[in-house]
Amino acid sequence: MMAQQTFESYKPIISMTLLQQILLMGPDEFEIVDTVEEIALWGINLEGVAGSFAL
């Protein structure tokens, strides 16, 4: 059974700054996450990396 999510515990599925970047792009463009700063800013977890950890 899933715990009930409250307003205080709500976290968007996608970072609002990442969504903003995506919406500013054209239909033939895509965002490439290529820096550690972007990974940390957008709350992305890396998987499959030896010794991986959440930033």
Side-chain angles (χ1 to χ4, degrees):
M1 176 180 246
M2 289 181 53
Q4 185 175 359
Q5 192 172 20
T6 64
F7 183 76
E8 291 83 20
S9 67
Y10 173 76
K11 181 180 177 188
I13 293 173
I14 185 170
S15 164
M16 293 295 110
T17 56
L18 177 55
L19 180 60
Q20 178 184 14
Q21 288 293 109
I22 293 169
L23 292 175
L24 290 172
M25 304 182 103
D28 296 332
E29 299 175 304
F30 61 94
E31 182 66 27
I32 297 175
V33 179
D34 57 357
T35 66
V36 173
E37 290 88 8
E38 290 173 335
I39 291 171
L41 174 67
W42 294 328
I44 298 171
N45 292 325
L46 291 178
E47 294 184 8
V49 178
S52 64
F53 57 92
L55 296 175

